[in-house]
Amino acid sequence: PKSVDHVHAAAIPLAALTAWQSLFDAASLQPGQTVLIHAAAGGVGHFAVQLAKWKGARVLGTASQHNHAFLRELGADETIDYTTTRFEEAVRDADVVLDTIGGDTQERSWRVLKKGGMLVSILSPPSPKLAAAHGARPAHVFVQPNAAQLAEIAKLVDGGKLKAVVETVFSLPEARRAQDQSQAGHVRGKLVLKVL
């Protein structure tokens, strides 16, 4: 994108492409559909919220209370505090769930989908057996390079429809600290390593 600096530009490609390919290629998200995005304030999640809203979907996101105002600024219609509320008790008839967490969260996500809905995971492939049991469809996304999609994403950034949120910029010697923070979770947006 021409409108952002190198730090913010560096935060975009992998996470934004992952969100794009999950929502649009795998799930074929359509205007008016409902999507639940887990870890919506995170690296992939914060792009997914913005892209789903741009597409015209109803966007629900799980995050701690600390990130709810941030998610509403990005376009989330509803936020669910996963520390106080079990999302499967708050969400019904979602068309799409974007799983960026895996494990128990993925297993519980089947319950919120409408018949024919889709669970897309960027971690472990969802179980076809569980999908069939819930009348839903599974999908697994492992991001692929795509210049045309990156060009579209850049246009959205330059048009003010999509922004990269960078929580912290680390120098290259701080790479271990950056990795530790990433692994600990609870990052708002992206972490960036600055080489120079």
Side-chain angles (χ1 to χ4, degrees):
K2 295 176 176 62
S3 60
V4 297
D5 58 27
H6 286 95
V7 167
H8 287 80
I12 296 170
L14 187 68
L17 269 182
T18 301
W20 182 287
Q21 291 172 10
S22 297
L23 295 173
F24 304 149
D25 294 349
S28 299
L29 186 68
Q30 298 299 310
Q33 289 188 321
T34 298
V35 58
L36 172 63
I37 300 166
H38 288 302
V44 171
H46 89 286
F47 284 116
V49 167
Q50 296 173 81
L51 289 170
K53 196 64 186 175
W54 167 73
K55 187 69 167 181
R58 179 172 166 254
V59 182
L60 293 71
T62 62
S64 65
Q65 182 67 39
H66 168 73
N67 285 314
H68 285 199
F70 168 67
L71 290 178
R72 284 191 289 278
E73 287 171 20
L74 295 180
D77 296 293
E78 292 180 37
T79 52
I80 300 158
D81 185 350
Y82 69 88
T83 67
T84 61
T85 305
R86 290 183 68 81
F87 66 84
E88 68 271 28
E89 295 171 2
V91 179
R92 292 279 176 270
D93 295 326
D95 296 283
V96 177
V97 173
L98 176 55
D99 169 36
T100 65
I101 299 174
D104 179 59
T105 298
Q106 184 182 106
E107 298 301 312
R108 291 164 44 214
S109 292
W110 295 111
R111 300 179 213 163
V112 308
L113 286 166
K114 64 171 46 171
K115 294 295 182 197
M118 177 171 277
L119 174 59
V120 181
S121 178
I122 63 170
L123 298 170
S124 56
S127 162
K129 185 176 179 182
L130 283 175
H134 288 89
R137 298 169 293 142
H140 179 247
V141 170
F142 187 83
V143 68
Q144 300 297 314
N146 189 306
Q149 290 173 351
L150 280 175
E152 288 300 312
I153 288 166
K155 284 182 196 171
L156 290 174
V157 172
D158 287 337
K161 304 288 186 193
L162 186 67
K163 67 178 179 179
V165 175
V166 175
E167 181 174 75
T168 309
V169 178
F170 294 93
S171 66
L172 192 56
E174 296 177 297
R176 183 183 182 123
R177 205 171 113 224
Q179 180 63 27
D180 289 344
Q181 186 172 336
S182 177
Q183 292 292 80
H186 310 290
V187 173
R188 179 186 284 188
K190 296 289 294 174
L191 305 175
V192 173
L193 280 178
K194 194 168 184 180
V195 177
L196 300 175

